[in-house]
Amino acid sequence: MKNKPSMKKVILLSYGSPEKIEDVPEYLSGIFEGRPVPEKILNENIKKYEMVNGKSPSNQIIKNLMNKLSKLLSKYGDFEIIDAYKHWHPGIEEVVSSLDPDYEEIITLPLFAFKSNNIKKSYEMPLEKGLKGKNIKLKFIYGLDYSILASMWVNEISKYVYDFDNFLFTAHSLPLIDDENEYKISLRRNSKRISGMLGIQKYYTAFYSQGPYGKWTQPSIYSLVDQFRRNKVTNILVSPIGFLYEHLEILYDLDVKYKEFLESQGIKYARARTPSDSDGMAILLKNAIMDNVRDNKNL
C-alpha cells in the first residue's frame, strides 16, 4: 500500500480578478455562468478597471502572501501553498479535481475576515464538486477574526487620528439569501474593538457595494449622510475592515464613487489601507493554519 507523504497542501481561496481589461468579458461570463452579460454591466466593469489602471492589485497581493506564508510554514513542516479562485483562473473546482486522491490532505482558507453563510456556501460548493469521487480529507477554515487583525487596523488608523474626527468602519454588503446576522455582528464587534483600542469616540458602521436587486445587508454607507449632516461631520476616515486586501470594490466603490459622494456633501474623505500582503497578514494566516493543524492531528 502506498504511504501518504507528510506534506500538507494549503489552498488560499478568493474571488479572483482578471489580469487585464481585455479579460473582463471572460471574467464576467464566468460570474454569469455562461449567460449573456448585460451590456450595461460589461461597460460599467470595463470603466471600473480603466479607472484603476486596468488591473486590480488583488491577485498579485495573494501571490506575495503565498511566498511569505510558504517561508513561515516551512518552520513547522512540509507545506505547499497554492491559490484558487471562485471567478478566475485557476478555478477552485479545477484545482481540487486535479489533486491526487492517493495522498493529498488539504487545508482550505477563504481570504475573508468575517464569517458569512453566503461566503461559506459559495466556496464550499466548488470544493465539493471538485472533491466528488475522491477520498481526500479537507479542512475548511471559516473566518479570520483574530486579535492580530484588529491590531493591524489600529496601527493603520492611528496615522489619521491627528487630523480626522469621524471614523466609518465598513464591510462589503451581502445578499440576504441566508441569515447574515453573524456577519453584521462581526462588523459591529470589530468596530467597537478597534475604536476602543484607539480611544475613538465618534464612529459609524455600514456596508457598501449593495447590488441593484433583492435585499442586502444594511445600512448602506450612503444612508448615513443625514447623520453626517446632523452631526456636522466635515471629515471621515473610512476603514474597510471586512476586507483583508486591496480589491476593486475598495479602489472603485470607495476610493472613487464614495469619495465623490462625500466631497459633494462637503466632507473630506480618506481611507485606511488594508493589511494586504504585509508581514502581519502573513503571520495571521500562518496562525490560523497552525491552529487548525493542531486541532486536527491527522492533518
mmCIF file of all heavy atoms in Angstrom, residues 114-153:
data_model
loop_
_atom_site.group_PDB
_atom_site.id
_atom_site.type_symbol
_atom_site.label_atom_id
_atom_site.label_comp_id
_atom_site.label_asym_id
_atom_site.label_seq_id
_atom_site.Cartn_x
_atom_site.Cartn_y
_atom_site.Cartn_z
ATOM 1 N N PHE A 114 -14.560 38.066 8.057
ATOM 2 C CA PHE A 114 -15.716 37.712 8.884
ATOM 3 C C PHE A 114 -16.407 36.456 8.386
ATOM 4 O O PHE A 114 -16.429 36.174 7.189
ATOM 5 C CB PHE A 114 -16.732 38.858 8.897
ATOM 6 C CG PHE A 114 -16.189 40.181 9.350
ATOM 7 C CD1 PHE A 114 -16.751 41.362 8.887
ATOM 8 C CD2 PHE A 114 -15.120 40.264 10.232
ATOM 9 C CE1 PHE A 114 -16.265 42.591 9.296
ATOM 10 C CE2 PHE A 114 -14.626 41.480 10.647
ATOM 11 C CZ PHE A 114 -15.198 42.658 10.176
ATOM 12 N N LYS A 115 -17.029 35.744 9.302
ATOM 13 C CA LYS A 115 -17.837 34.589 8.938
ATOM 14 C C LYS A 115 -19.117 35.045 8.243
ATOM 15 O O LYS A 115 -19.732 36.030 8.634
ATOM 16 C CB LYS A 115 -18.187 33.769 10.173
ATOM 17 C CG LYS A 115 -17.004 33.055 10.794
ATOM 18 C CD LYS A 115 -17.438 32.221 11.989
ATOM 19 C CE LYS A 115 -16.256 31.458 12.574
ATOM 20 N NZ LYS A 115 -16.652 30.627 13.732
ATOM 21 N N SER A 116 -19.498 34.301 7.202
ATOM 22 C CA SER A 116 -20.703 34.625 6.447
ATOM 23 C C SER A 116 -21.262 33.345 5.855
ATOM 24 O O SER A 116 -20.521 32.562 5.252
ATOM 25 C CB SER A 116 -20.380 35.620 5.324
ATOM 26 O OG SER A 116 -21.313 35.533 4.281
ATOM 27 N N ASN A 117 -22.549 33.115 6.024
ATOM 28 C CA ASN A 117 -23.177 31.936 5.427
ATOM 29 C C ASN A 117 -23.097 31.983 3.907
ATOM 30 O O ASN A 117 -22.853 30.968 3.247
ATOM 31 C CB ASN A 117 -24.638 31.836 5.868
ATOM 32 C CG ASN A 117 -24.766 31.425 7.316
ATOM 33 O OD1 ASN A 117 -23.996 30.598 7.808
ATOM 34 N ND2 ASN A 117 -25.721 31.996 8.029
ATOM 35 N N ASN A 118 -23.308 33.155 3.348
ATOM 36 C CA ASN A 118 -23.260 33.323 1.892
ATOM 37 C C ASN A 118 -21.881 32.983 1.348
ATOM 38 O O ASN A 118 -21.735 32.215 0.396
ATOM 39 C CB ASN A 118 -23.646 34.772 1.541
ATOM 40 C CG ASN A 118 -23.724 35.025 0.047
ATOM 41 O OD1 ASN A 118 -22.708 35.002 -0.630
ATOM 42 N ND2 ASN A 118 -24.916 35.276 -0.452
ATOM 43 N N ILE A 119 -20.851 33.549 1.965
ATOM 44 C CA ILE A 119 -19.481 33.315 1.509
ATOM 45 C C ILE A 119 -19.092 31.854 1.716
ATOM 46 O O ILE A 119 -18.491 31.225 0.842
ATOM 47 C CB ILE A 119 -18.511 34.259 2.249
ATOM 48 C CG1 ILE A 119 -18.762 35.710 1.819
ATOM 49 C CG2 ILE A 119 -17.057 33.862 1.975
ATOM 50 C CD1 ILE A 119 -17.979 36.733 2.626
ATOM 51 N N LYS A 120 -19.439 31.318 2.871
ATOM 52 C CA LYS A 120 -19.085 29.932 3.183
ATOM 53 C C LYS A 120 -19.654 28.973 2.133
ATOM 54 O O LYS A 120 -18.933 28.132 1.583
ATOM 55 C CB LYS A 120 -19.607 29.560 4.569
ATOM 56 C CG LYS A 120 -19.216 28.172 5.052
ATOM 57 C CD LYS A 120 -19.635 28.000 6.515
ATOM 58 C CE LYS A 120 -19.154 26.663 7.078
ATOM 59 N NZ LYS A 120 -19.997 25.544 6.639
ATOM 60 N N LYS A 121 -20.931 29.105 1.837
ATOM 61 C CA LYS A 121 -21.566 28.214 0.863
ATOM 62 C C LYS A 121 -20.980 28.394 -0.533
ATOM 63 O O LYS A 121 -20.802 27.420 -1.269
ATOM 64 C CB LYS A 121 -23.074 28.465 0.833
ATOM 65 C CG LYS A 121 -23.812 27.932 2.040
ATOM 66 C CD LYS A 121 -25.316 28.156 1.916
ATOM 67 C CE LYS A 121 -26.064 27.603 3.103
ATOM 68 N NZ LYS A 121 -27.529 27.838 2.981
ATOM 69 N N SER A 122 -20.678 29.643 -0.901
ATOM 70 C CA SER A 122 -20.178 29.896 -2.252
ATOM 71 C C SER A 122 -18.805 29.282 -2.497
ATOM 72 O O SER A 122 -18.435 29.017 -3.640
ATOM 73 C CB SER A 122 -20.135 31.402 -2.527
ATOM 74 O OG SER A 122 -19.104 32.037 -1.781
ATOM 75 N N TYR A 123 -18.036 29.052 -1.426
ATOM 76 C CA TYR A 123 -16.737 28.400 -1.570
ATOM 77 C C TYR A 123 -16.823 26.898 -1.336
ATOM 78 O O TYR A 123 -16.052 26.125 -1.907
ATOM 79 C CB TYR A 123 -15.704 29.054 -0.637
ATOM 80 C CG TYR A 123 -15.226 30.372 -1.184
ATOM 81 C CD1 TYR A 123 -15.892 31.548 -0.877
ATOM 82 C CD2 TYR A 123 -14.163 30.432 -2.066
ATOM 83 C CE1 TYR A 123 -15.497 32.764 -1.412
ATOM 84 C CE2 TYR A 123 -13.748 31.632 -2.616
ATOM 85 C CZ TYR A 123 -14.426 32.803 -2.285
ATOM 86 O OH TYR A 123 -14.037 33.989 -2.836
ATOM 87 N N GLU A 124 -17.733 26.476 -0.492
ATOM 88 C CA GLU A 124 -17.886 25.042 -0.260
ATOM 89 C C GLU A 124 -18.420 24.326 -1.500
ATOM 90 O O GLU A 124 -18.018 23.188 -1.782
ATOM 91 C CB GLU A 124 -18.831 24.802 0.917
ATOM 92 C CG GLU A 124 -18.188 25.036 2.273
ATOM 93 C CD GLU A 124 -19.149 24.749 3.415
ATOM 94 O OE1 GLU A 124 -20.374 24.909 3.226
ATOM 95 O OE2 GLU A 124 -18.671 24.367 4.490
ATOM 96 N N MET A 125 -19.302 24.970 -2.253
ATOM 97 C CA MET A 125 -19.907 24.314 -3.411
ATOM 98 C C MET A 125 -18.878 23.885 -4.459
ATOM 99 O O MET A 125 -18.850 22.718 -4.860
ATOM 100 C CB MET A 125 -20.979 25.214 -4.025
ATOM 101 C CG MET A 125 -22.250 25.294 -3.198
ATOM 102 S SD MET A 125 -23.452 26.480 -3.857
ATOM 103 C CE MET A 125 -23.795 25.751 -5.463
ATOM 104 N N PRO A 126 -17.983 24.785 -4.943
ATOM 105 C CA PRO A 126 -16.979 24.324 -5.913
ATOM 106 C C PRO A 126 -15.982 23.341 -5.303
ATOM 107 O O PRO A 126 -15.470 22.470 -6.005
ATOM 108 C CB PRO A 126 -16.290 25.616 -6.371
ATOM 109 C CG PRO A 126 -16.578 26.615 -5.309
ATOM 110 C CD PRO A 126 -17.907 26.249 -4.751
ATOM 111 N N LEU A 127 -15.720 23.467 -3.994
ATOM 112 C CA LEU A 127 -14.846 22.499 -3.343
ATOM 113 C C LEU A 127 -15.473 21.106 -3.375
ATOM 114 O O LEU A 127 -14.811 20.117 -3.701
ATOM 115 C CB LEU A 127 -14.585 22.910 -1.891
ATOM 116 C CG LEU A 127 -13.617 24.068 -1.650
ATOM 117 C CD1 LEU A 127 -13.641 24.474 -0.184
ATOM 118 C CD2 LEU A 127 -12.193 23.710 -2.071
ATOM 119 N N GLU A 128 -16.744 21.027 -3.053
ATOM 120 C CA GLU A 128 -17.436 19.737 -3.037
ATOM 121 C C GLU A 128 -17.520 19.126 -4.436
ATOM 122 O O GLU A 128 -17.368 17.911 -4.606
ATOM 123 C CB GLU A 128 -18.831 19.917 -2.446
ATOM 124 C CG GLU A 128 -18.813 20.196 -0.948
ATOM 125 C CD GLU A 128 -20.175 20.573 -0.403
ATOM 126 O OE1 GLU A 128 -21.132 20.667 -1.220
ATOM 127 O OE2 GLU A 128 -20.306 20.790 0.816
ATOM 128 N N LYS A 129 -17.735 19.957 -5.444
ATOM 129 C CA LYS A 129 -17.775 19.451 -6.821
ATOM 130 C C LYS A 129 -16.423 18.882 -7.223
ATOM 131 O O LYS A 129 -16.330 17.837 -7.855
ATOM 132 C CB LYS A 129 -18.184 20.573 -7.780
ATOM 133 C CG LYS A 129 -19.655 20.959 -7.693
ATOM 134 C CD LYS A 129 -19.985 22.046 -8.702
ATOM 135 C CE LYS A 129 -21.458 22.437 -8.648
ATOM 136 N NZ LYS A 129 -21.778 23.524 -9.606
ATOM 137 N N GLY A 130 -15.366 19.603 -6.880
ATOM 138 C CA GLY A 130 -14.028 19.134 -7.224
ATOM 139 C C GLY A 130 -13.620 17.876 -6.481
ATOM 140 O O GLY A 130 -12.831 17.075 -6.979
ATOM 141 N N LEU A 131 -14.173 17.686 -5.278
ATOM 142 C CA LEU A 131 -13.819 16.528 -4.449
ATOM 143 C C LEU A 131 -14.666 15.290 -4.761
ATOM 144 O O LEU A 131 -14.371 14.208 -4.249
ATOM 145 C CB LEU A 131 -14.005 16.876 -2.968
ATOM 146 C CG LEU A 131 -12.945 17.791 -2.343
ATOM 147 C CD1 LEU A 131 -13.389 18.225 -0.954
ATOM 148 C CD2 LEU A 131 -11.593 17.099 -2.278
ATOM 149 N N LYS A 132 -15.680 15.459 -5.586
ATOM 150 C CA LYS A 132 -16.600 14.349 -5.843
ATOM 151 C C LYS A 132 -15.843 13.127 -6.367
ATOM 152 O O LYS A 132 -15.084 13.192 -7.322
ATOM 153 C CB LYS A 132 -17.656 14.780 -6.859
ATOM 154 C CG LYS A 132 -18.800 13.790 -6.998
ATOM 155 C CD LYS A 132 -19.900 14.348 -7.885
ATOM 156 C CE LYS A 132 -21.064 13.366 -7.970
ATOM 157 N NZ LYS A 132 -22.164 13.891 -8.828
ATOM 158 N N GLY A 133 -16.040 12.002 -5.687
ATOM 159 C CA GLY A 133 -15.395 10.758 -6.093
ATOM 160 C C GLY A 133 -13.975 10.601 -5.591
ATOM 161 O O GLY A 133 -13.315 9.605 -5.906
ATOM 162 N N LYS A 134 -13.492 11.563 -4.793
ATOM 163 C CA LYS A 134 -12.119 11.493 -4.295
ATOM 164 C C LYS A 134 -12.120 11.247 -2.784
ATOM 165 O O LYS A 134 -12.935 11.818 -2.061
ATOM 166 C CB LYS A 134 -11.375 12.804 -4.587
ATOM 167 C CG LYS A 134 -11.129 13.058 -6.071
ATOM 168 C CD LYS A 134 -10.402 14.374 -6.266
ATOM 169 C CE LYS A 134 -10.095 14.618 -7.731
ATOM 170 N NZ LYS A 134 -9.074 13.704 -8.229
ATOM 171 N N ASN A 135 -11.211 10.428 -2.331
ATOM 172 C CA ASN A 135 -11.077 10.153 -0.905
ATOM 173 C C ASN A 135 -10.010 11.080 -0.326
ATOM 174 O O ASN A 135 -8.867 10.688 -0.070
ATOM 175 C CB ASN A 135 -10.698 8.683 -0.675
ATOM 176 C CG ASN A 135 -10.618 8.350 0.798
ATOM 177 O OD1 ASN A 135 -11.240 9.006 1.625
ATOM 178 N ND2 ASN A 135 -9.826 7.340 1.120
ATOM 179 N N ILE A 136 -10.407 12.340 -0.149
ATOM 180 C CA ILE A 136 -9.472 13.359 0.297
ATOM 181 C C ILE A 136 -10.014 14.034 1.554
ATOM 182 O O ILE A 136 -11.178 14.419 1.604
ATOM 183 C CB ILE A 136 -9.245 14.425 -0.805
ATOM 184 C CG1 ILE A 136 -8.561 13.799 -2.018
ATOM 185 C CG2 ILE A 136 -8.407 15.576 -0.276
ATOM 186 C CD1 ILE A 136 -8.359 14.753 -3.166
ATOM 187 N N LYS A 137 -9.164 14.175 2.548
ATOM 188 C CA LYS A 137 -9.536 14.882 3.766
ATOM 189 C C LYS A 137 -9.337 16.378 3.556
ATOM 190 O O LYS A 137 -8.285 16.811 3.079
ATOM 191 C CB LYS A 137 -8.684 14.407 4.933
ATOM 192 C CG LYS A 137 -9.030 15.068 6.267
ATOM 193 C CD LYS A 137 -8.172 14.516 7.377
ATOM 194 C CE LYS A 137 -8.482 13.048 7.597
ATOM 195 N NZ LYS A 137 -7.736 12.500 8.754
ATOM 196 N N LEU A 138 -10.351 17.157 3.892
ATOM 197 C CA LEU A 138 -10.283 18.598 3.666
ATOM 198 C C LEU A 138 -10.670 19.332 4.938
ATOM 199 O O LEU A 138 -11.682 19.034 5.560
ATOM 200 C CB LEU A 138 -11.223 18.982 2.515
ATOM 201 C CG LEU A 138 -11.255 20.448 2.086
ATOM 202 C CD1 LEU A 138 -11.527 20.542 0.590
ATOM 203 C CD2 LEU A 138 -12.327 21.229 2.845
ATOM 204 N N LYS A 139 -9.843 20.302 5.313
ATOM 205 C CA LYS A 139 -10.130 21.165 6.456
ATOM 206 C C LYS A 139 -10.476 22.548 5.928
ATOM 207 O O LYS A 139 -9.715 23.148 5.172
ATOM 208 C CB LYS A 139 -8.907 21.250 7.368
ATOM 209 C CG LYS A 139 -9.100 22.140 8.598
ATOM 210 C CD LYS A 139 -9.997 21.498 9.621
ATOM 211 C CE LYS A 139 -10.059 22.323 10.891
ATOM 212 N NZ LYS A 139 -10.898 21.708 11.928
ATOM 213 N N PHE A 140 -11.656 23.058 6.298
ATOM 214 C CA PHE A 140 -12.143 24.350 5.813
ATOM 215 C C PHE A 140 -12.055 25.352 6.961
ATOM 216 O O PHE A 140 -12.748 25.232 7.959
ATOM 217 C CB PHE A 140 -13.596 24.191 5.336
ATOM 218 C CG PHE A 140 -14.157 25.402 4.640
ATOM 219 C CD1 PHE A 140 -13.937 25.601 3.286
ATOM 220 C CD2 PHE A 140 -14.929 26.323 5.331
ATOM 221 C CE1 PHE A 140 -14.476 26.709 2.634
ATOM 222 C CE2 PHE A 140 -15.461 27.424 4.691
ATOM 223 C CZ PHE A 140 -15.234 27.619 3.340
ATOM 224 N N ILE A 141 -11.165 26.335 6.832
ATOM 225 C CA ILE A 141 -11.007 27.359 7.860
ATOM 226 C C ILE A 141 -12.023 28.461 7.586
ATOM 227 O O ILE A 141 -12.036 29.069 6.516
ATOM 228 C CB ILE A 141 -9.580 27.930 7.872
ATOM 229 C CG1 ILE A 141 -8.580 26.816 8.202
ATOM 230 C CG2 ILE A 141 -9.458 29.068 8.871
ATOM 231 C CD1 ILE A 141 -7.133 27.256 8.180
ATOM 232 N N TYR A 142 -12.850 28.739 8.572
ATOM 233 C CA TYR A 142 -14.009 29.607 8.383
ATOM 234 C C TYR A 142 -13.898 30.837 9.280
ATOM 235 O O TYR A 142 -14.131 30.777 10.471
ATOM 236 C CB TYR A 142 -15.261 28.791 8.705
ATOM 237 C CG TYR A 142 -16.571 29.513 8.599
ATOM 238 C CD1 TYR A 142 -16.806 30.445 7.599
ATOM 239 C CD2 TYR A 142 -17.589 29.242 9.493
ATOM 240 C CE1 TYR A 142 -18.023 31.099 7.495
ATOM 241 C CE2 TYR A 142 -18.818 29.874 9.406
ATOM 242 C CZ TYR A 142 -19.022 30.803 8.407
ATOM 243 O OH TYR A 142 -20.237 31.451 8.310
ATOM 244 N N GLY A 143 -13.497 31.970 8.702
ATOM 245 C CA GLY A 143 -13.381 33.210 9.456
ATOM 246 C C GLY A 143 -11.990 33.443 10.006
ATOM 247 O O GLY A 143 -11.297 32.515 10.425
ATOM 248 N N LEU A 144 -11.550 34.717 9.981
ATOM 249 C CA LEU A 144 -10.207 35.086 10.439
ATOM 250 C C LEU A 144 -10.282 36.218 11.447
ATOM 251 O O LEU A 144 -9.550 37.201 11.373
ATOM 252 C CB LEU A 144 -9.342 35.496 9.237
ATOM 253 C CG LEU A 144 -9.003 34.373 8.257
ATOM 254 C CD1 LEU A 144 -8.384 34.936 6.988
ATOM 255 C CD2 LEU A 144 -8.067 33.358 8.899
ATOM 256 N N ASP A 145 -11.192 36.075 12.400
ATOM 257 C CA ASP A 145 -11.419 37.120 13.401
ATOM 258 C C ASP A 145 -10.413 36.967 14.535
ATOM 259 O O ASP A 145 -10.740 36.560 15.647
ATOM 260 C CB ASP A 145 -12.852 37.011 13.918
ATOM 261 C CG ASP A 145 -13.253 38.233 14.728
ATOM 262 O OD1 ASP A 145 -12.395 39.110 14.925
ATOM 263 O OD2 ASP A 145 -14.410 38.304 15.162
ATOM 264 N N TYR A 146 -9.145 37.314 14.241
ATOM 265 C CA TYR A 146 -8.066 37.204 15.212
ATOM 266 C C TYR A 146 -7.703 38.590 15.754
ATOM 267 O O TYR A 146 -7.847 39.595 15.062
ATOM 268 C CB TYR A 146 -6.820 36.585 14.569
ATOM 269 C CG TYR A 146 -6.871 35.083 14.395
ATOM 270 C CD1 TYR A 146 -7.799 34.474 13.552
ATOM 271 C CD2 TYR A 146 -5.978 34.267 15.071
ATOM 272 C CE1 TYR A 146 -7.838 33.103 13.391
ATOM 273 C CE2 TYR A 146 -6.004 32.881 14.916
ATOM 274 C CZ TYR A 146 -6.937 32.309 14.071
ATOM 275 O OH TYR A 146 -6.971 30.940 13.910
ATOM 276 N N SER A 147 -7.206 38.628 16.983
ATOM 277 C CA SER A 147 -6.847 39.909 17.591
ATOM 278 C C SER A 147 -5.737 40.609 16.822
ATOM 279 O O SER A 147 -5.680 41.845 16.800
ATOM 280 C CB SER A 147 -6.428 39.709 19.052
ATOM 281 O OG SER A 147 -5.325 38.824 19.145
ATOM 282 N N ILE A 148 -4.853 39.837 16.176
ATOM 283 C CA ILE A 148 -3.771 40.456 15.413
ATOM 284 C C ILE A 148 -4.322 41.286 14.258
ATOM 285 O O ILE A 148 -3.748 42.299 13.864
ATOM 286 C CB ILE A 148 -2.772 39.394 14.891
ATOM 287 C CG1 ILE A 148 -1.545 40.084 14.263
ATOM 288 C CG2 ILE A 148 -3.426 38.453 13.901
ATOM 289 C CD1 ILE A 148 -0.460 39.114 13.837
ATOM 290 N N LEU A 149 -5.489 40.904 13.724
ATOM 291 C CA LEU A 149 -6.093 41.664 12.637
ATOM 292 C C LEU A 149 -6.554 43.028 13.147
ATOM 293 O O LEU A 149 -6.326 44.057 12.493
ATOM 294 C CB LEU A 149 -7.273 40.885 12.042
ATOM 295 C CG LEU A 149 -7.981 41.514 10.833
ATOM 296 C CD1 LEU A 149 -6.990 41.778 9.704
ATOM 297 C CD2 LEU A 149 -9.114 40.602 10.351
ATOM 298 N N ALA A 150 -7.179 43.057 14.322
ATOM 299 C CA ALA A 150 -7.581 44.335 14.917
ATOM 300 C C ALA A 150 -6.358 45.205 15.182
ATOM 301 O O ALA A 150 -6.384 46.422 14.958
ATOM 302 C CB ALA A 150 -8.351 44.091 16.210
ATOM 303 N N SER A 151 -5.261 44.587 15.623
ATOM 304 C CA SER A 151 -4.039 45.348 15.905
ATOM 305 C C SER A 151 -3.472 45.983 14.642
ATOM 306 O O SER A 151 -2.958 47.110 14.686
ATOM 307 C CB SER A 151 -2.992 44.438 16.554
ATOM 308 O OG SER A 151 -3.438 43.959 17.796
ATOM 309 N N MET A 152 -3.555 45.272 13.523
ATOM 310 C CA MET A 152 -3.064 45.836 12.263
ATOM 311 C C MET A 152 -3.896 47.043 11.852
ATOM 312 O O MET A 152 -3.368 48.053 11.363
ATOM 313 C CB MET A 152 -3.063 44.765 11.167
ATOM 314 C CG MET A 152 -1.927 43.776 11.288
ATOM 315 S SD MET A 152 -1.815 42.653 9.872
ATOM 316 C CE MET A 152 -3.073 41.441 10.308
ATOM 317 N N TRP A 153 -5.217 46.959 12.054
ATOM 318 C CA TRP A 153 -6.074 48.102 11.742
ATOM 319 C C TRP A 153 -5.778 49.271 12.681
ATOM 320 O O TRP A 153 -5.769 50.434 12.248
ATOM 321 C CB TRP A 153 -7.538 47.701 11.817
ATOM 322 C CG TRP A 153 -8.009 46.972 10.594
ATOM 323 C CD1 TRP A 153 -8.355 45.660 10.484
ATOM 324 C CD2 TRP A 153 -8.173 47.530 9.280
ATOM 325 N NE1 TRP A 153 -8.713 45.357 9.195
ATOM 326 C CE2 TRP A 153 -8.619 46.484 8.435
ATOM 327 C CE3 TRP A 153 -7.987 48.799 8.746
ATOM 328 C CZ2 TRP A 153 -8.877 46.689 7.086
ATOM 329 C CZ3 TRP A 153 -8.244 49.011 7.394
ATOM 330 C CH2 TRP A 153 -8.681 47.960 6.579
#
